[in-house]
Amino acid sequence: MARLHFHGHATFSITTDEGTRLLIDPFFVGNPAADIGLDEIGAVDFVLCTHGHADHFGDALTICERTGAVLISSYEIVSYAATRGVENGHPMGIGGGYDFPFGRVKMTVALHGPSVAGDGAEGFSSTPCGFLISLPNKTLYFAGDTALTMDMQLLRGLVDIAVLPIGDNFTMGPEDATRAVEFVEPAVVVPFHYGTWDIIDQDPSRFASLVGDRAQVEILEPGAHYDF
Ligand code: NI
Ligand code: MN
């Protein structure tokens, strides 16, 4: 059994069957929705980062330095991380995939802003992405912060569990996320990127009603998990 754990806002961890721990978009310091503090994270093997905004990239450098985790992200973000002392990086580009020991990661298209937060990051910009993570038993799609895109139709039939933003304003809202479910046809969908601040306040049960019987909607409170 593998476990998808929601840490609040856009931060998830996956513990695979074999016990590898992936941390996605780590944002603990300053995250009003975080279920744990930065010092309670424990061992991490890989940190995956979809884009450079502070609510996704915020604690990536600190965690990589503390745990020795490999940073999987865009070439630009991995290059910036190297200037901040993170040598253990694996750069990727959109559309590219790579077979890691735990499974395959493919970078998917996301339509969102390119800035990178951090000291000395002014010269860096990074095209945001999502991740298609294929573990031995299931494939997960982390859309990242994104608009609804036609490109999502390319994922139809490939995804067991889709993790989709529903907060609106900065990303898809519930209606467009429902269209994303129609495009991707996952068995399970997990909403995220809502409720952390007033500007992205949403009722996830309304999203669940919109999705209806197209997919099983798993609404995770921060600290909750979904086993697969
Ligand atoms: Ni963002
Ligand atoms: Mn965000």
Side-chain angles (χ1 to χ4, degrees):
M1 203 63 121
R3 174 164 291 188
L4 175 69
H5 183 110
F6 184 44
H7 293 290
H9 186 57
T11 306
F12 289 86
S13 60
I14 297 173
T15 307
T16 69
D17 284 340
E18 296 81 17
T20 302
R21 184 131 181 269
L22 318 181
L23 192 57
I24 298 162
D25 283 354
F27 171 46
F28 295 94
V29 175
N31 179 355
D35 66 330
I36 55 174
L38 189 57
D39 294 331
E40 300 166 86
I41 293 163
V44 181
D45 300 297
F46 294 88
V47 171
L48 288 76
C49 194
T50 60
H51 66 292
H53 291 165
D55 59 320
H56 299 257
F57 184 54
D59 297 313
L61 300 179
T62 305
I63 292 167
C64 286
E65 282 161 13
R66 280 192 194 172
T67 64
V70 176
L71 177 65
I72 301 173
S73 192
S74 68
Y75 175 79
E76 290 77 11
I77 285 178
V78 169
S79 299
Y80 166 63
T83 71
R84 308 301 298 173
V86 174
E87 300 298 338
N88 228 356
H90 185 106
M92 296 182 70
I94 287 175
Y98 187 83
D99 293 316
F100 291 91
F102 60 84
R104 182 168 177 83
V105 175
K106 185 175 182 182
M107 270 194 168
T108 60
V109 170
L111 199 53
H112 190 63
S115 66
V116 177
D119 294 339
E122 294 78 13
F124 292 83
S125 72
S126 173
T127 303
C129 72
F131 291 112
L132 189 66
I133 302 175
S134 299
L135 300 176
N137 57 338
K138 292 275 196 277
T139 294
L140 296 90
Y141 168 49
F142 288 83
D145 282 10
T146 185
L148 177 70
T149 70
M150 294 294 281
D151 303 83
M152 290 173 182
Q153 296 184 15
L154 298 172
L155 300 174
R156 176 173 293 137
L158 303 179
V159 175
D160 297 296
I161 302 164
V163 182
L164 303 178
I166 65 160
D168 216 344
N169 193 74
F170 296 115
T171 68
M172 296 190 286
E175 284 78 10
D176 277 359
T178 300
R179 295 199 71 194
V181 171
E182 290 174 349
F183 285 177
V184 178
E185 297 181 358
V188 174
V189 58
V190 177
F192 79 103
H193 212 276
Y194 67 91
T196 316
W197 300 283
D198 287 347
I199 197 169
I200 54 171
D201 189 35
Q202 292 293 337
D203 176 3
S205 60
R206 190 173 79 80
F207 171 64
S209 317
L210 289 169
V211 171
D213 58 7
R214 294 180 185 90
Q216 174 190 333
V217 179
E218 286 287 334
I219 297 169
L220 300 180
E221 296 295 325
H225 59 263
Y226 174 73
D227 288 335
F228 59 95

